[in-house]
């Protein structure tokens, strides 16, 4: 082959006949039953009624319930030869710090906290979208040299809710100004176990994750930026749909016996409060457009796809990796949010490589369960969701070449 200059793409050999396109329906995706399922098998879907229900008793999971998930084997339970298929991991995690956070009321009625992160690996502003009141950033809460209480409130390092006239970032100072002497038990119940409680001797805050143990592992989605799918209504992928679905799931009420799949307690037996708080979770939003190649190259890849190539081939023809994303920043951000350690997380993903990559080189974060992201069009029989020949081919490539765990 001729030596092309570094900036040139190789000439493409014309095809005498159009290459046959493979749709998702060409794959054998029927639901199978086996006594011993594989460790990462996709579970039943979670729409109000599953498309393949076998009888009136075989009813799918309701849309307003917590999603079903799949328990994952831990390292000592995994075969040794599986290590050969693990993705390459950074040996040292990057340093990250949260610069600011702000409360964002959403169109669905829930509130979320938008955290903006900087790091020592790139110049991009990555984001953590936090749902619920129980997850806090250690780096944000840490005291900054020379800052005032107003400075802390402006950058979001406060406990509770801002309101006109508030003068302190710490609840104890506010109560002291009001002449109230709260009990330790009251403060613990209000703020969690040390989450943002001030230490009067040092002026520092005792930083710790206060995500309640009774809620189990928090729900996490690692989402890579997709301008076309999230902003300009592209039907070439389902990225925008996945982001919306993650937001919906993290805004669901705290799980109760009647809202948990498989519970033996009927809904009529449980007391229903007027409004349950969100169980919460985190969407780590990484600025790695086009699986890490950037928007300009991604648009070139779209043109190659219109010339007959799939999404992975297009990246390769542009002399990029099929998938150039990295998840070390996500691991570091989860640790800063107090989600490392043995309790683990539930990861919303279909990508088997992401499960291992997010855990970090020394398993700083444990993925104990996987929650599948099933296309809404598949759940609803085509009544809703992203549809079209482009997204069908995109999903086919994910299943066939990227080994994503999707079942129809």
């Amino acid at each position: 082959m001729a030596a092309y200059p570094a900036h040139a793409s190789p000439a493409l050999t014309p095809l005498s006949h159009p290459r046959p396109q493979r749709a998702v329906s060409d794959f054998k995706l029927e639901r199978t039953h086996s006594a011993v399922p594989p460790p990462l098998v996709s579970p039943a879907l979670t729409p109000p009624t599953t498309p393949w229900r076998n009888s009136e008793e075989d009813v799918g999971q309701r849309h307003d319930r917590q999603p079903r998930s799949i328990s994952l084997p831990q390292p000592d339970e995994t075969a040794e030869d599986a290590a050969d298929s693990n993705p390459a991991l950074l040996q040292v995690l990057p340093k990250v710090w949260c610069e600011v956070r702000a409360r964002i009321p959403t169109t669905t009625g829930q509130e979320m906290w938008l955290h903006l992160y900087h790091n020592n690996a790139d110049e991009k502003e990555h984001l953590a979208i936090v749902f619920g009141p129980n997850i806090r950033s250690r780096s944000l809460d840490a005291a900054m040299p020379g800052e005032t209480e107003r400075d802390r409130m402006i950058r979001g390092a406060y406990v509770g809710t801002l309101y006109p006239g508030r003068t302190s970032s710490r609840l104890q100072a506010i109560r002291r100004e009001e002449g109230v002497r709260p009990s330790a038990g009251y403060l613990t119940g209000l703020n969690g176990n040390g989450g943002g409680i001030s230490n009067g001797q040092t002026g520092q805050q005792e930083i710790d994750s206060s995500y309640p143990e009774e809620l189990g592992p928090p729900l996490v989605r690692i989402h890579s930026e997709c301008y076309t799918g999230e902003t300009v209504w592209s039907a070439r992928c389902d990225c925008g749909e996945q982001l919306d679905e993650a937001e919906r799931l993290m805004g669901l009420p705290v799980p109760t016996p009647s809202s948990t799949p498989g519970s033996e307690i009927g809904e009529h037996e449980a007391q229903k409060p007027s409004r349950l708080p969100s169980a919460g979770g985190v969407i780590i939003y990484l600025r790695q457009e086009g699986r890490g190649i950037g928007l300009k190259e991604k648009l070139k890849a779209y043109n190659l796809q219109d010339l007959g190539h799939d999404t992975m081939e297009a990246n390769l023809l542009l002399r990029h990796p099929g998938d150039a994303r990295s998840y070390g920043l996500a691991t570091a951000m989860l640790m800063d949010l107090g989600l490392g350690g043995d309790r683990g997380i539930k990861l919303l993903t279909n990508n088997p490589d992401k499960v291992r990559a997010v855990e970090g080189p020394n398993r700083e974060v444990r993925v104990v369960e996987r929650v599948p992201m099933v296309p809404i069009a598949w759940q609803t029989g085509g009544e809703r969701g992203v549809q079209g020949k482009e997204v069908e081919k995109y999903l086919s490539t994910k299943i066939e070449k990227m080994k994503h765990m999707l079942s129809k």
Side-chain angles (χ1 to χ4, degrees):
M1 178 182 289
Y4 293 96
H7 65 274
S9 297
L12 304 178
T13 304
L15 300 175
S16 56
H17 298 284
R19 190 174 49 175
Q21 304 296 317
R22 300 189 69 183
V24 172
S25 57
D26 295 333
F27 296 96
K28 295 181 179 180
L29 301 174
E30 292 82 5
R31 188 184 184 192
T32 58
H33 299 273
S34 61
V36 182
L40 292 179
V41 65
S42 296
L45 300 177
T46 58
T49 304
T50 51
W52 53 63
R53 54 183 294 187
N54 297 323
S55 64
E56 292 300 321
E57 290 75 22
D58 184 12
V59 179
Q61 182 182 333
R62 272 180 21 190
H63 71 284
D64 57 347
R65 291 177 172 173
Q66 290 294 316
R68 290 184 175 95
S69 58
I70 308 161
S71 296
L72 301 182
Q74 297 309 305
D76 56 346
E77 305 173 30
T78 307
E80 294 182 2
D81 58 358
D84 296 336
S85 60
N86 285 337
L89 302 177
L90 296 175
Q91 294 304 308
V92 179
L93 291 177
K95 294 181 180 180
V96 300
W97 56 93
C98 183
E99 296 278 6
V100 63
R101 73 162 185 161
R103 180 183 65 88
I104 308 292
T106 70
T107 55
T108 62
Q110 293 288 349
E111 289 185 345
M112 61 90 163
W113 299 88
L114 187 60
H115 297 59
L116 186 146
Y117 276 85
H118 284 163
N119 65 88
N120 66 344
D122 61 37
E123 299 297 324
K124 299 177 181 179
E125 295 179 333
H126 302 277
L127 304 171
I129 305 170
V130 175
F131 294 83
N134 303 306
I135 299 173
R136 297 187 63 90
S137 162
R138 290 179 168 91
S139 59
L140 179 74
D141 283 334
M144 302 290 289
E147 71 175 350
T148 66
E149 285 296 294
R150 183 173 177 81
D151 293 333
R152 290 184 60 81
M153 289 189 289
I154 290 174
R155 66 183 181 87
Y158 61 86
V159 179
T161 305
L162 293 181
Y163 53 84
R166 179 168 175 172
T167 59
S168 175
S169 65
R170 301 170 175 88
L171 286 179
Q172 291 93 323
I174 296 175
R175 294 187 174 280
R176 191 162 51 248
E177 292 173 1
E178 298 293 331
V180 178
R181 185 178 180 181
S183 66
Y186 179 85
L187 286 176
T188 300
L190 183 64
N191 296 289
N193 298 326
I197 296 180
S198 173
N199 184 325
Q201 295 180 346
T202 63
Q204 301 282 340
Q205 286 186 314
E206 299 172 3
I207 308 303
D208 191 12
S209 172
S210 57
Y211 194 84
E213 291 290 339
E214 61 269 20
L215 294 183
L219 197 60
V220 172
R221 166 73 181 166
I222 312 299
H223 190 91
S224 296
E225 180 181 25
C226 178
Y227 178 83
T228 51
E230 298 160 6
T231 307
V232 296
W233 317 286
S234 170
R236 288 183 181 268
C237 66
D238 61 343
C239 299
E241 177 179 287
Q242 288 187 332
L243 185 62
D244 291 343
E245 179 68 0
E247 184 271 343
R248 184 188 72 82
L249 293 175
M250 292 179 191
L252 291 178
V254 173
T256 61
S258 62
S259 68
T260 302
S263 170
E264 297 178 357
I265 301 178
E267 295 184 11
H268 62 283
E269 302 176 56
Q271 296 181 351
K272 295 182 179 180
S274 58
R275 182 178 178 83
L276 290 170
S278 166
V282 179
I283 300 174
I284 300 293
Y285 189 91
L286 300 177
R287 294 294 177 80
Q288 41 190 12
E289 178 77 54
R291 296 200 301 277
I293 68 174
L295 184 57
K296 181 181 76 171
E297 296 299 290
K298 177 181 178 179
L299 296 180
K300 293 179 183 178
Y302 281 174
N303 291 331
L304 283 170
Q305 290 174 33
D306 286 342
L307 288 171
H309 300 278
D310 64 40
T311 179
M312 177 172 279
E313 292 170 349
N315 279 23
L316 296 175
L317 287 168
L318 292 171
R319 300 188 176 185
H320 297 297
D323 191 340
R325 291 174 294 181
S326 172
Y327 299 102
L329 284 169
T331 306
M333 291 165 69
L334 290 174
M335 293 179 64
D336 180 68
L337 292 168
L339 300 185
D342 292 337
R343 177 177 53 190
I345 63 172
K346 294 190 293 186
L347 189 64
L348 279 161
T349 187
N350 300 320
N351 186 347
D353 288 341
K354 187 183 291 187
V355 172
R356 178 64 188 96
V358 168
E359 291 188 319
N362 299 308
R363 295 191 183 271
E364 289 86 353
V365 174
R366 290 182 58 207
V367 180
V368 295
E369 297 178 34
R370 183 181 71 85
V371 180
M373 300 290 286
V374 181
I376 293 176
W378 294 10
Q379 299 183 33
T380 62
E383 294 181 5
R384 294 186 292 111
V386 181
Q387 300 177 57
K389 62 180 182 180
E390 290 87 357
V391 73
E392 284 287 300
K393 183 178 179 182
Y394 171 79
L395 294 172
S396 299
T397 302
K398 277 191 167 184
I399 296 170
E400 186 178 35
K401 295 189 175 181
M402 301 180 185
K403 307 306 179 185
H404 281 212
M405 296 171 287
L406 278 165
S407 62
K408 198 171 185 180

